[in-house]
Amino acid sequence: QVQLAEPGGGSVQPGGSLRLSCAASGRTVSNYAMAWFRQAPGQEREFVAAMRRSDDILLYADSVKGRFTISRDNAKNTVYLQMNILKPEDTAVYYCAATPVYSGRDYIRYNYWGQGTQVTVSS
């Protein structure tokens, strides 16, 4: 099994940037397809971005396309979500997730989850 942890998060003004990290332990992230989801208060969990194990497929929600970038550093066993041009509607708890088989937007098929980290975009 792989354990995921998302240190960081934080508060930023609209138009600012944040980089979220998802540190893996127990297994290497190179063995998994990875994704980020988010959940705002009173709303359902929402897909943000996903990548295959081989990194040759990157998928983004329309709401973040062109602003967010998912990537991984296998040497550091870490997955990242670079978030630029942040908007108040990006405010949510962000979760990283892992699955042995690429699952795109389907959160039900992700086996492993981090505990989540809060991102607040406000002036």
Side-chain angles (χ1 to χ4, degrees), residues 10 17 22-23 26 28 35 38 50 61 64-65 81 83 85 88 99 102 121:
S17 297
C22 175
T28 60
R38 66 187 182 186
V64 307
K65 199 173 296 182
L81 183 68
M83 306 185 294
I85 317 175
T99 177
Y102 176 70
V121 184

Side-chain angles (χ1 to χ4, degrees), residues 22-44:
C22 175
S25 59
R27 298 287 300 274
T28 60
V29 291
S30 60
N31 291 323
Y32 297 91
M34 302 297 297
W36 288 91
F37 293 82
R38 66 187 182 186
Q39 188 166 18
Q43 298 187 22
E44 294 186 352

